[in-house]
Amino acid sequence: MPAGGRSIRTKQCLRIQRRLAALESELETTRERVRRLENTLREAVRTADDVSIGGPCSCGESLLLVRDRTLYCPECRYRRTV
Ligand SMILES: [Zn+2]
């Protein structure tokens, strides 16, 4: 094995560990953000008249909203009467 082999691998390993730690921290931040949004949205929908939330839209950018017997996506043009 070349003399530098081990230290190169150690450097790569440290880089991966740092990247992983950064991702874990990012994931935790995202989790908190989603939880806050869910709690806020649940209350906003509960107190709004005649609005409810359906499943995810096929565009993947939003959940569907149901209002006045119409299912619609606020992000794309999808709209359907229910
Ligand atoms: Zn959509």
Side-chain angles (χ1 to χ4, degrees), residues 38-52:
E38 279 178 343
N39 290 336
T40 308
L41 190 60
R42 192 183 306 118
E43 178 60 11
V45 165
R46 198 184 66 76
T47 55
D49 275 347
D50 195 32
V51 176
S52 60

Side-chain angles (χ1 to χ4, degrees), residues 57-62 64 73 75-78:
C57 178
S58 57
C59 74
E61 296 297 315
S62 175
L64 293 164
C73 172
E75 287 297 314
C76 68
R77 291 169 180 270
Y78 180 79

